[in-house]
Amino acid sequence: MDVFPEEENQTKAVALTMTSMRAGLQRAYLDGLEFIRNKISDTEGEVAKTRLSFYGCNESDEDSYLQYLKECNDHFLTANNELRRKNIKLEVIDSEMRIVTLLNQLREAAEVDKGEIAFITGFWENIKHTVESFHSLVEKFQTNVLNRLNQNCTSYNNADISLEVSNRYTEEISGYIAELERELTNMRLLMKTYDGGIHQDLFSQNSKFAEKVLVSCDLKAFPILRLAPDLAEKMENVCAIARKWLDRDEQYMYEVNNYIKETRNIAKRREEDLKNQKEKQKKIEKAVKTANILLQNNKEKLQKIEVELNSLEGQLNGFKHEKKCRHEEKAQKSSMADFLSITMTQTRKNYNLQMKRQRLVKQVRELEEFLIGLEKELSNVEDELMVKSQERILINEKVETSVKTYDTLKTDFDKYSDNLEKLEQEVNILSGQLLQLEIIQTYKTSPEHVEQIFDRPQTVKLAPSLKEKIKRKRKGLPVTES
């Protein structure tokens, strides 16, 4: 087969990448996987031996397998024909009990044994030994492979932290577990029902070899012929699924390593962003506080001016009222003085009237002087009121500007704080994911965990313990590698 240069380069690149990635994993973990792979290989070797033993072959050859099954089929047909000649009811050969019954019937009915009894007896011994072998293989596979996979090739998941890489891995591993349980359960049921009548619905579907057997043999009459080939196929299938599980577990560790690197880099960048954004938030917060202080100062100034204006307006109204009253008093007294002046011209001189008029004239003069002073004070208050009104207009404009500035800054600050909170949550999530990934890595590659894979006594004290490692990682403390 020709290999194009591009394909060869790609293959080399992939190989180099895998070698580089493999170097990144702890050797003990990979040795543990290799140990389980060897156990699977051992099982596959036993399956091959059992199959060759059943078919009486020295090497794997489907044609030879089919030839043996066809030969078995022919002997069963000959036996049935002999029983049919004797009008003995024929039974479907689907169990050990039916084989034994067939042999007993042949011994009683056959006038001349053409070799069917010996052949079928040999087949009976063969299938019985094969079923026993597969039963032993299933139990050894459970102990040597499946228990190790369940114990060492699953993930350490935290329900509070969802990781896509772990969820995907767990989903696929759950599929492998379900397939293995289904196949092993079907094998056990087939072997269990071999004594009294095998459950034919448990035979594998879409088997190419089974299709060939169906063409060569009468499986409706002799379904027992399908049992050994089906058990072998099932056993090979569980080994293949176990290998997929192992490969997926190793791939998962590569993915976890990569995710740790990527998540650590992302978390580092986000933490830097968070640090910078917090510094910027402090500056914005300071600007908001300054704007708020300025706003409050302007409001206080405006309030003070409002109080002063109210006081001035009160004074102005008081002066106006007093002015009015004094004008009325002046008019009244001037009128009285004029009346007394007229009265005095029409009568004899009256000292009392004259004195009274002089007092009134004096009071009128004093009121005029007082009103002149009042007018000045009134004018001063009006001038001051005008100045304060102008100040109020200016301060009011400052307050409005301060309000707009503060509202804008406060809105920006609130939005910034919300974004900062989201960034902080993202950092916390990344930190949690990173911690979970590191715990998974610690859990799966820990010597304590990997040591359980091997068939050797626990004589070496491993420190620190796996639980202690995980505890220290959760607290963010450094982990000492032994």
PDB file of all heavy atoms in Angstrom, residues 293-328:
ATOM      1  N   ILE A 293     -20.019  64.562  46.576  1.00  0.00           N
ATOM      2  CA  ILE A 293     -19.659  65.615  47.546  1.00  0.00           C
ATOM      3  C   ILE A 293     -19.948  66.997  46.951  1.00  0.00           C
ATOM      4  O   ILE A 293     -20.511  67.871  47.618  1.00  0.00           O
ATOM      5  CB  ILE A 293     -18.170  65.480  47.938  1.00  0.00           C
ATOM      6  CG1 ILE A 293     -17.966  64.222  48.786  1.00  0.00           C
ATOM      7  CG2 ILE A 293     -17.702  66.715  48.710  1.00  0.00           C
ATOM      8  CD1 ILE A 293     -16.502  63.877  49.016  1.00  0.00           C
ATOM      9  N   LEU A 294     -19.537  67.173  45.681  1.00  0.00           N
ATOM     10  CA  LEU A 294     -19.788  68.455  45.003  1.00  0.00           C
ATOM     11  C   LEU A 294     -21.281  68.727  44.905  1.00  0.00           C
ATOM     12  O   LEU A 294     -21.734  69.861  45.139  1.00  0.00           O
ATOM     13  CB  LEU A 294     -19.161  68.420  43.609  1.00  0.00           C
ATOM     14  CG  LEU A 294     -19.289  69.707  42.776  1.00  0.00           C
ATOM     15  CD1 LEU A 294     -18.587  70.873  43.478  1.00  0.00           C
ATOM     16  CD2 LEU A 294     -18.704  69.490  41.382  1.00  0.00           C
ATOM     17  N   LEU A 295     -22.046  67.710  44.586  1.00  0.00           N
ATOM     18  CA  LEU A 295     -23.502  67.859  44.495  1.00  0.00           C
ATOM     19  C   LEU A 295     -24.091  68.251  45.845  1.00  0.00           C
ATOM     20  O   LEU A 295     -24.931  69.171  45.918  1.00  0.00           O
ATOM     21  CB  LEU A 295     -24.120  66.542  44.004  1.00  0.00           C
ATOM     22  CG  LEU A 295     -25.650  66.456  43.999  1.00  0.00           C
ATOM     23  CD1 LEU A 295     -26.244  67.508  43.066  1.00  0.00           C
ATOM     24  CD2 LEU A 295     -26.117  65.058  43.580  1.00  0.00           C
ATOM     25  N   GLN A 296     -23.659  67.565  46.904  1.00  0.00           N
ATOM     26  CA  GLN A 296     -24.183  67.886  48.237  1.00  0.00           C
ATOM     27  C   GLN A 296     -23.797  69.297  48.669  1.00  0.00           C
ATOM     28  O   GLN A 296     -24.614  70.019  49.257  1.00  0.00           O
ATOM     29  CB  GLN A 296     -23.664  66.865  49.268  1.00  0.00           C
ATOM     30  CG  GLN A 296     -24.128  65.437  49.027  1.00  0.00           C
ATOM     31  CD  GLN A 296     -25.636  65.305  48.925  1.00  0.00           C
ATOM     32  OE1 GLN A 296     -26.394  65.927  49.689  1.00  0.00           O
ATOM     33  NE2 GLN A 296     -26.100  64.518  47.958  1.00  0.00           N
ATOM     34  N   ASN A 297     -22.544  69.703  48.340  1.00  0.00           N
ATOM     35  CA  ASN A 297     -22.108  71.071  48.664  1.00  0.00           C
ATOM     36  C   ASN A 297     -22.960  72.108  47.949  1.00  0.00           C
ATOM     37  O   ASN A 297     -23.377  73.115  48.541  1.00  0.00           O
ATOM     38  CB  ASN A 297     -20.639  71.262  48.282  1.00  0.00           C
ATOM     39  CG  ASN A 297     -19.701  70.509  49.213  1.00  0.00           C
ATOM     40  OD1 ASN A 297     -20.085  70.144  50.334  1.00  0.00           O
ATOM     41  ND2 ASN A 297     -18.481  70.263  48.777  1.00  0.00           N
ATOM     42  N   ASN A 298     -23.212  71.872  46.674  1.00  0.00           N
ATOM     43  CA  ASN A 298     -24.043  72.811  45.905  1.00  0.00           C
ATOM     44  C   ASN A 298     -25.482  72.832  46.415  1.00  0.00           C
ATOM     45  O   ASN A 298     -26.124  73.885  46.443  1.00  0.00           O
ATOM     46  CB  ASN A 298     -24.018  72.436  44.424  1.00  0.00           C
ATOM     47  CG  ASN A 298     -22.696  72.786  43.761  1.00  0.00           C
ATOM     48  OD1 ASN A 298     -22.009  73.720  44.191  1.00  0.00           O
ATOM     49  ND2 ASN A 298     -22.328  72.056  42.714  1.00  0.00           N
ATOM     50  N   LYS A 299     -25.968  71.678  46.813  1.00  0.00           N
ATOM     51  CA  LYS A 299     -27.318  71.634  47.384  1.00  0.00           C
ATOM     52  C   LYS A 299     -27.382  72.408  48.696  1.00  0.00           C
ATOM     53  O   LYS A 299     -28.365  73.108  48.968  1.00  0.00           O
ATOM     54  CB  LYS A 299     -27.745  70.172  47.615  1.00  0.00           C
ATOM     55  CG  LYS A 299     -28.181  69.458  46.351  1.00  0.00           C
ATOM     56  CD  LYS A 299     -28.682  68.055  46.679  1.00  0.00           C
ATOM     57  CE  LYS A 299     -29.231  67.361  45.442  1.00  0.00           C
ATOM     58  NZ  LYS A 299     -29.737  66.015  45.741  1.00  0.00           N
ATOM     59  N   GLU A 300     -26.318  72.244  49.502  1.00  0.00           N
ATOM     60  CA  GLU A 300     -26.269  72.989  50.775  1.00  0.00           C
ATOM     61  C   GLU A 300     -26.208  74.492  50.525  1.00  0.00           C
ATOM     62  O   GLU A 300     -26.873  75.276  51.216  1.00  0.00           O
ATOM     63  CB  GLU A 300     -25.052  72.528  51.591  1.00  0.00           C
ATOM     64  CG  GLU A 300     -25.216  71.128  52.174  1.00  0.00           C
ATOM     65  CD  GLU A 300     -23.958  70.649  52.867  1.00  0.00           C
ATOM     66  OE1 GLU A 300     -23.007  71.455  52.987  1.00  0.00           O
ATOM     67  OE2 GLU A 300     -23.919  69.470  53.291  1.00  0.00           O
ATOM     68  N   LYS A 301     -25.385  74.891  49.530  1.00  0.00           N
ATOM     69  CA  LYS A 301     -25.303  76.313  49.170  1.00  0.00           C
ATOM     70  C   LYS A 301     -26.659  76.833  48.702  1.00  0.00           C
ATOM     71  O   LYS A 301     -27.091  77.925  49.078  1.00  0.00           O
ATOM     72  CB  LYS A 301     -24.266  76.527  48.065  1.00  0.00           C
ATOM     73  CG  LYS A 301     -22.831  76.368  48.527  1.00  0.00           C
ATOM     74  CD  LYS A 301     -21.878  76.568  47.353  1.00  0.00           C
ATOM     75  CE  LYS A 301     -20.430  76.379  47.795  1.00  0.00           C
ATOM     76  NZ  LYS A 301     -19.487  76.517  46.663  1.00  0.00           N
ATOM     77  N   LEU A 302     -27.311  76.024  47.866  1.00  0.00           N
ATOM     78  CA  LEU A 302     -28.625  76.427  47.359  1.00  0.00           C
ATOM     79  C   LEU A 302     -29.625  76.542  48.500  1.00  0.00           C
ATOM     80  O   LEU A 302     -30.426  77.503  48.551  1.00  0.00           O
ATOM     81  CB  LEU A 302     -29.115  75.396  46.329  1.00  0.00           C
ATOM     82  CG  LEU A 302     -30.462  75.689  45.660  1.00  0.00           C
ATOM     83  CD1 LEU A 302     -30.405  76.997  44.876  1.00  0.00           C
ATOM     84  CD2 LEU A 302     -30.868  74.539  44.737  1.00  0.00           C
ATOM     85  N   GLN A 303     -29.552  75.585  49.415  1.00  0.00           N
ATOM     86  CA  GLN A 303     -30.461  75.611  50.562  1.00  0.00           C
ATOM     87  C   GLN A 303     -30.200  76.855  51.426  1.00  0.00           C
ATOM     88  O   GLN A 303     -31.144  77.511  51.894  1.00  0.00           O
ATOM     89  CB  GLN A 303     -30.277  74.336  51.384  1.00  0.00           C
ATOM     90  CG  GLN A 303     -31.302  74.177  52.499  1.00  0.00           C
ATOM     91  CD  GLN A 303     -31.134  72.865  53.253  1.00  0.00           C
ATOM     92  OE1 GLN A 303     -30.123  72.191  53.090  1.00  0.00           O
ATOM     93  NE2 GLN A 303     -32.101  72.514  54.068  1.00  0.00           N
ATOM     94  N   LYS A 304     -28.912  77.177  51.607  1.00  0.00           N
ATOM     95  CA  LYS A 304     -28.537  78.352  52.403  1.00  0.00           C
ATOM     96  C   LYS A 304     -29.055  79.630  51.753  1.00  0.00           C
ATOM     97  O   LYS A 304     -29.604  80.527  52.428  1.00  0.00           O
ATOM     98  CB  LYS A 304     -27.021  78.406  52.554  1.00  0.00           C
ATOM     99  CG  LYS A 304     -26.518  79.542  53.435  1.00  0.00           C
ATOM    100  CD  LYS A 304     -25.006  79.493  53.537  1.00  0.00           C
ATOM    101  CE  LYS A 304     -24.507  80.667  54.393  1.00  0.00           C
ATOM    102  NZ  LYS A 304     -23.026  80.675  54.459  1.00  0.00           N
ATOM    103  N   ILE A 305     -28.887  79.705  50.434  1.00  0.00           N
ATOM    104  CA  ILE A 305     -29.376  80.890  49.708  1.00  0.00           C
ATOM    105  C   ILE A 305     -30.894  80.986  49.789  1.00  0.00           C
ATOM    106  O   ILE A 305     -31.468  82.072  49.923  1.00  0.00           O
ATOM    107  CB  ILE A 305     -28.896  80.851  48.248  1.00  0.00           C
ATOM    108  CG1 ILE A 305     -27.388  81.136  48.206  1.00  0.00           C
ATOM    109  CG2 ILE A 305     -29.637  81.851  47.378  1.00  0.00           C
ATOM    110  CD1 ILE A 305     -26.767  80.999  46.848  1.00  0.00           C
ATOM    111  N   GLU A 306     -31.559  79.833  49.692  1.00  0.00           N
ATOM    112  CA  GLU A 306     -33.023  79.823  49.808  1.00  0.00           C
ATOM    113  C   GLU A 306     -33.448  80.374  51.170  1.00  0.00           C
ATOM    114  O   GLU A 306     -34.407  81.160  51.275  1.00  0.00           O
ATOM    115  CB  GLU A 306     -33.553  78.392  49.634  1.00  0.00           C
ATOM    116  CG  GLU A 306     -33.378  77.790  48.245  1.00  0.00           C
ATOM    117  CD  GLU A 306     -34.356  78.383  47.238  1.00  0.00           C
ATOM    118  OE1 GLU A 306     -35.201  79.208  47.643  1.00  0.00           O
ATOM    119  OE2 GLU A 306     -34.257  78.035  46.056  1.00  0.00           O
ATOM    120  N   VAL A 307     -32.722  79.976  52.219  1.00  0.00           N
ATOM    121  CA  VAL A 307     -33.029  80.478  53.565  1.00  0.00           C
ATOM    122  C   VAL A 307     -32.799  81.983  53.636  1.00  0.00           C
ATOM    123  O   VAL A 307     -33.624  82.744  54.184  1.00  0.00           O
ATOM    124  CB  VAL A 307     -32.155  79.748  54.617  1.00  0.00           C
ATOM    125  CG1 VAL A 307     -32.304  80.403  55.990  1.00  0.00           C
ATOM    126  CG2 VAL A 307     -32.564  78.274  54.705  1.00  0.00           C
ATOM    127  N   GLU A 308     -31.674  82.428  53.047  1.00  0.00           N
ATOM    128  CA  GLU A 308     -31.367  83.869  53.054  1.00  0.00           C
ATOM    129  C   GLU A 308     -32.403  84.651  52.254  1.00  0.00           C
ATOM    130  O   GLU A 308     -32.827  85.743  52.661  1.00  0.00           O
ATOM    131  CB  GLU A 308     -29.966  84.091  52.485  1.00  0.00           C
ATOM    132  CG  GLU A 308     -28.854  83.574  53.396  1.00  0.00           C
ATOM    133  CD  GLU A 308     -27.487  83.714  52.763  1.00  0.00           C
ATOM    134  OE1 GLU A 308     -27.424  84.065  51.555  1.00  0.00           O
ATOM    135  OE2 GLU A 308     -26.482  83.453  53.451  1.00  0.00           O
ATOM    136  N   LEU A 309     -32.800  84.069  51.113  1.00  0.00           N
ATOM    137  CA  LEU A 309     -33.820  84.747  50.299  1.00  0.00           C
ATOM    138  C   LEU A 309     -35.143  84.842  51.038  1.00  0.00           C
ATOM    139  O   LEU A 309     -35.839  85.877  50.999  1.00  0.00           O
ATOM    140  CB  LEU A 309     -34.015  83.992  48.980  1.00  0.00           C
ATOM    141  CG  LEU A 309     -32.968  84.260  47.890  1.00  0.00           C
ATOM    142  CD1 LEU A 309     -33.149  83.298  46.720  1.00  0.00           C
ATOM    143  CD2 LEU A 309     -33.087  85.706  47.383  1.00  0.00           C
ATOM    144  N   ASN A 310     -35.500  83.779  51.712  1.00  0.00           N
ATOM    145  CA  ASN A 310     -36.750  83.795  52.494  1.00  0.00           C
ATOM    146  C   ASN A 310     -36.678  84.864  53.596  1.00  0.00           C
ATOM    147  O   ASN A 310     -37.646  85.578  53.861  1.00  0.00           O
ATOM    148  CB  ASN A 310     -37.011  82.419  53.115  1.00  0.00           C
ATOM    149  CG  ASN A 310     -37.406  81.389  52.071  1.00  0.00           C
ATOM    150  OD1 ASN A 310     -37.932  81.755  51.013  1.00  0.00           O
ATOM    151  ND2 ASN A 310     -37.160  80.115  52.354  1.00  0.00           N
ATOM    152  N   SER A 311     -35.483  84.957  54.225  1.00  0.00           N
ATOM    153  CA  SER A 311     -35.301  85.962  55.282  1.00  0.00           C
ATOM    154  C   SER A 311     -35.413  87.380  54.710  1.00  0.00           C
ATOM    155  O   SER A 311     -36.067  88.255  55.295  1.00  0.00           O
ATOM    156  CB  SER A 311     -33.939  85.752  55.949  1.00  0.00           C
ATOM    157  OG  SER A 311     -33.707  86.759  56.913  1.00  0.00           O
ATOM    158  N   LEU A 312     -34.742  87.588  53.535  1.00  0.00           N
ATOM    159  CA  LEU A 312     -34.779  88.915  52.896  1.00  0.00           C
ATOM    160  C   LEU A 312     -36.191  89.278  52.452  1.00  0.00           C
ATOM    161  O   LEU A 312     -36.632  90.437  52.592  1.00  0.00           O
ATOM    162  CB  LEU A 312     -33.829  88.942  51.695  1.00  0.00           C
ATOM    163  CG  LEU A 312     -32.327  88.949  52.039  1.00  0.00           C
ATOM    164  CD1 LEU A 312     -31.502  88.757  50.781  1.00  0.00           C
ATOM    165  CD2 LEU A 312     -31.950  90.260  52.737  1.00  0.00           C
ATOM    166  N   GLU A 313     -36.895  88.280  51.905  1.00  0.00           N
ATOM    167  CA  GLU A 313     -38.284  88.541  51.497  1.00  0.00           C
ATOM    168  C   GLU A 313     -39.153  88.874  52.705  1.00  0.00           C
ATOM    169  O   GLU A 313     -40.054  89.736  52.645  1.00  0.00           O
ATOM    170  CB  GLU A 313     -38.843  87.326  50.756  1.00  0.00           C
ATOM    171  CG  GLU A 313     -38.284  87.181  49.339  1.00  0.00           C
ATOM    172  CD  GLU A 313     -38.751  85.925  48.649  1.00  0.00           C
ATOM    173  OE1 GLU A 313     -39.457  85.112  49.302  1.00  0.00           O
ATOM    174  OE2 GLU A 313     -38.429  85.738  47.462  1.00  0.00           O
ATOM    175  N   GLY A 314     -38.841  88.199  53.821  1.00  0.00           N
ATOM    176  CA  GLY A 314     -39.567  88.520  55.058  1.00  0.00           C
ATOM    177  C   GLY A 314     -39.274  89.947  55.510  1.00  0.00           C
ATOM    178  O   GLY A 314     -40.185  90.690  55.909  1.00  0.00           O
ATOM    179  N   GLN A 315     -37.993  90.325  55.441  1.00  0.00           N
ATOM    180  CA  GLN A 315     -37.618  91.697  55.803  1.00  0.00           C
ATOM    181  C   GLN A 315     -38.282  92.701  54.861  1.00  0.00           C
ATOM    182  O   GLN A 315     -38.801  93.740  55.297  1.00  0.00           O
ATOM    183  CB  GLN A 315     -36.094  91.856  55.726  1.00  0.00           C
ATOM    184  CG  GLN A 315     -35.331  91.111  56.810  1.00  0.00           C
ATOM    185  CD  GLN A 315     -33.838  91.303  56.678  1.00  0.00           C
ATOM    186  OE1 GLN A 315     -33.382  92.429  56.365  1.00  0.00           O
ATOM    187  NE2 GLN A 315     -33.069  90.242  56.919  1.00  0.00           N
ATOM    188  N   LEU A 316     -38.240  92.394  53.554  1.00  0.00           N
ATOM    189  CA  LEU A 316     -38.818  93.303  52.563  1.00  0.00           C
ATOM    190  C   LEU A 316     -40.305  93.511  52.816  1.00  0.00           C
ATOM    191  O   LEU A 316     -40.814  94.658  52.803  1.00  0.00           O
ATOM    192  CB  LEU A 316     -38.585  92.738  51.162  1.00  0.00           C
ATOM    193  CG  LEU A 316     -39.051  93.601  49.993  1.00  0.00           C
ATOM    194  CD1 LEU A 316     -38.255  94.915  49.946  1.00  0.00           C
ATOM    195  CD2 LEU A 316     -38.903  92.855  48.665  1.00  0.00           C
ATOM    196  N   ASN A 317     -40.994  92.394  53.052  1.00  0.00           N
ATOM    197  CA  ASN A 317     -42.433  92.497  53.330  1.00  0.00           C
ATOM    198  C   ASN A 317     -42.687  93.278  54.623  1.00  0.00           C
ATOM    199  O   ASN A 317     -43.645  94.075  54.717  1.00  0.00           O
ATOM    200  CB  ASN A 317     -43.050  91.092  53.439  1.00  0.00           C
ATOM    201  CG  ASN A 317     -43.069  90.383  52.096  1.00  0.00           C
ATOM    202  OD1 ASN A 317     -43.140  91.039  51.052  1.00  0.00           O
ATOM    203  ND2 ASN A 317     -43.009  89.053  52.109  1.00  0.00           N
ATOM    204  N   GLY A 318     -41.807  93.091  55.620  1.00  0.00           N
ATOM    205  CA  GLY A 318     -41.937  93.830  56.890  1.00  0.00           C
ATOM    206  C   GLY A 318     -41.736  95.333  56.686  1.00  0.00           C
ATOM    207  O   GLY A 318     -42.501  96.160  57.219  1.00  0.00           O
ATOM    208  N   PHE A 319     -40.698  95.659  55.911  1.00  0.00           N
ATOM    209  CA  PHE A 319     -40.441  97.083  55.621  1.00  0.00           C
ATOM    210  C   PHE A 319     -41.597  97.713  54.832  1.00  0.00           C
ATOM    211  O   PHE A 319     -42.003  98.848  55.089  1.00  0.00           O
ATOM    212  CB  PHE A 319     -39.130  97.236  54.831  1.00  0.00           C
ATOM    213  CG  PHE A 319     -37.895  97.042  55.675  1.00  0.00           C
ATOM    214  CD1 PHE A 319     -36.738  96.457  55.159  1.00  0.00           C
ATOM    215  CD2 PHE A 319     -37.878  97.443  57.010  1.00  0.00           C
ATOM    216  CE1 PHE A 319     -35.603  96.305  55.934  1.00  0.00           C
ATOM    217  CE2 PHE A 319     -36.729  97.283  57.791  1.00  0.00           C
ATOM    218  CZ  PHE A 319     -35.589  96.712  57.263  1.00  0.00           C
ATOM    219  N   LYS A 320     -42.101  96.957  53.851  1.00  0.00           N
ATOM    220  CA  LYS A 320     -43.221  97.483  53.055  1.00  0.00           C
ATOM    221  C   LYS A 320     -44.454  97.729  53.918  1.00  0.00           C
ATOM    222  O   LYS A 320     -45.155  98.735  53.774  1.00  0.00           O
ATOM    223  CB  LYS A 320     -43.553  96.504  51.924  1.00  0.00           C
ATOM    224  CG  LYS A 320     -42.540  96.521  50.782  1.00  0.00           C
ATOM    225  CD  LYS A 320     -42.951  95.559  49.686  1.00  0.00           C
ATOM    226  CE  LYS A 320     -41.973  95.630  48.511  1.00  0.00           C
ATOM    227  NZ  LYS A 320     -42.354  94.684  47.432  1.00  0.00           N
ATOM    228  N   HIS A 321     -44.689  96.766  54.808  1.00  0.00           N
ATOM    229  CA  HIS A 321     -45.847  96.917  55.698  1.00  0.00           C
ATOM    230  C   HIS A 321     -45.662  98.126  56.622  1.00  0.00           C
ATOM    231  O   HIS A 321     -46.592  98.932  56.823  1.00  0.00           O
ATOM    232  CB  HIS A 321     -46.015  95.630  56.521  1.00  0.00           C
ATOM    233  CG  HIS A 321     -47.159  95.701  57.477  1.00  0.00           C
ATOM    234  ND1 HIS A 321     -48.493  95.684  57.093  1.00  0.00           N
ATOM    235  CD2 HIS A 321     -47.168  95.814  58.845  1.00  0.00           C
ATOM    236  CE1 HIS A 321     -49.274  95.775  58.153  1.00  0.00           C
ATOM    237  NE2 HIS A 321     -48.483  95.849  59.248  1.00  0.00           N
ATOM    238  N   GLU A 322     -44.431  98.216  57.161  1.00  0.00           N
ATOM    239  CA  GLU A 322     -44.164  99.362  58.061  1.00  0.00           C
ATOM    240  C   GLU A 322     -44.244 100.682  57.303  1.00  0.00           C
ATOM    241  O   GLU A 322     -44.765 101.688  57.813  1.00  0.00           O
ATOM    242  CB  GLU A 322     -42.777  99.205  58.703  1.00  0.00           C
ATOM    243  CG  GLU A 322     -42.523 100.240  59.792  1.00  0.00           C
ATOM    244  CD  GLU A 322     -41.256  99.964  60.571  1.00  0.00           C
ATOM    245  OE1 GLU A 322     -40.571  98.959  60.262  1.00  0.00           O
ATOM    246  OE2 GLU A 322     -40.957 100.733  61.493  1.00  0.00           O
ATOM    247  N   LYS A 323     -43.760 100.703  56.065  1.00  0.00           N
ATOM    248  CA  LYS A 323     -43.820 101.903  55.232  1.00  0.00           C
ATOM    249  C   LYS A 323     -45.265 102.336  55.025  1.00  0.00           C
ATOM    250  O   LYS A 323     -45.615 103.519  55.133  1.00  0.00           O
ATOM    251  CB  LYS A 323     -43.141 101.620  53.900  1.00  0.00           C
ATOM    252  CG  LYS A 323     -43.181 102.795  52.924  1.00  0.00           C
ATOM    253  CD  LYS A 323     -42.530 102.399  51.613  1.00  0.00           C
ATOM    254  CE  LYS A 323     -42.672 103.538  50.593  1.00  0.00           C
ATOM    255  NZ  LYS A 323     -42.080 103.162  49.279  1.00  0.00           N
ATOM    256  N   LYS A 324     -46.090 101.351  54.735  1.00  0.00           N
ATOM    257  CA  LYS A 324     -47.500 101.648  54.515  1.00  0.00           C
ATOM    258  C   LYS A 324     -48.142 102.228  55.767  1.00  0.00           C
ATOM    259  O   LYS A 324     -48.879 103.230  55.720  1.00  0.00           O
ATOM    260  CB  LYS A 324     -48.224 100.363  54.087  1.00  0.00           C
ATOM    261  CG  LYS A 324     -49.710 100.551  53.832  1.00  0.00           C
ATOM    262  CD  LYS A 324     -50.354  99.205  53.471  1.00  0.00           C
ATOM    263  CE  LYS A 324     -51.863  99.386  53.283  1.00  0.00           C
ATOM    264  NZ  LYS A 324     -52.510  98.080  53.008  1.00  0.00           N
ATOM    265  N   CYS A 325     -47.818 101.560  56.901  1.00  0.00           N
ATOM    266  CA  CYS A 325     -48.386 102.013  58.177  1.00  0.00           C
ATOM    267  C   CYS A 325     -47.898 103.429  58.508  1.00  0.00           C
ATOM    268  O   CYS A 325     -48.674 104.280  58.967  1.00  0.00           O
ATOM    269  CB  CYS A 325     -48.014 101.063  59.299  1.00  0.00           C
ATOM    270  SG  CYS A 325     -48.798  99.427  59.146  1.00  0.00           S
ATOM    271  N   ARG A 326     -46.627 103.689  58.304  1.00  0.00           N
ATOM    272  CA  ARG A 326     -46.064 105.019  58.605  1.00  0.00           C
ATOM    273  C   ARG A 326     -46.643 106.085  57.677  1.00  0.00           C
ATOM    274  O   ARG A 326     -46.918 107.206  58.107  1.00  0.00           O
ATOM    275  CB  ARG A 326     -44.533 104.988  58.453  1.00  0.00           C
ATOM    276  CG  ARG A 326     -43.818 104.081  59.441  1.00  0.00           C
ATOM    277  CD  ARG A 326     -43.980 104.551  60.854  1.00  0.00           C
ATOM    278  NE  ARG A 326     -43.211 103.708  61.788  1.00  0.00           N
ATOM    279  CZ  ARG A 326     -43.128 103.930  63.069  1.00  0.00           C
ATOM    280  NH1 ARG A 326     -43.792 104.944  63.616  1.00  0.00           N
ATOM    281  NH2 ARG A 326     -42.424 103.131  63.839  1.00  0.00           N
ATOM    282  N   HIS A 327     -46.848 105.741  56.408  1.00  0.00           N
ATOM    283  CA  HIS A 327     -47.476 106.680  55.480  1.00  0.00           C
ATOM    284  C   HIS A 327     -48.899 107.025  55.922  1.00  0.00           C
ATOM    285  O   HIS A 327     -49.321 108.193  55.885  1.00  0.00           O
ATOM    286  CB  HIS A 327     -47.501 106.104  54.055  1.00  0.00           C
ATOM    287  CG  HIS A 327     -46.287 106.434  53.246  1.00  0.00           C
ATOM    288  ND1 HIS A 327     -45.985 107.715  52.828  1.00  0.00           N
ATOM    289  CD2 HIS A 327     -45.286 105.659  52.767  1.00  0.00           C
ATOM    290  CE1 HIS A 327     -44.864 107.735  52.139  1.00  0.00           C
ATOM    291  NE2 HIS A 327     -44.402 106.464  52.091  1.00  0.00           N
ATOM    292  N   GLU A 328     -49.599 105.987  56.350  1.00  0.00           N
ATOM    293  CA  GLU A 328     -50.977 106.225  56.830  1.00  0.00           C
ATOM    294  C   GLU A 328     -50.971 107.081  58.093  1.00  0.00           C
ATOM    295  O   GLU A 328     -51.803 108.005  58.247  1.00  0.00           O
ATOM    296  CB  GLU A 328     -51.658 104.875  57.099  1.00  0.00           C
ATOM    297  CG  GLU A 328     -51.970 104.097  55.828  1.00  0.00           C
ATOM    298  CD  GLU A 328     -52.539 102.733  56.132  1.00  0.00           C
ATOM    299  OE1 GLU A 328     -52.555 102.343  57.334  1.00  0.00           O
ATOM    300  OE2 GLU A 328     -52.954 102.011  55.178  1.00  0.00           O
TER     301      GLU A 328
END
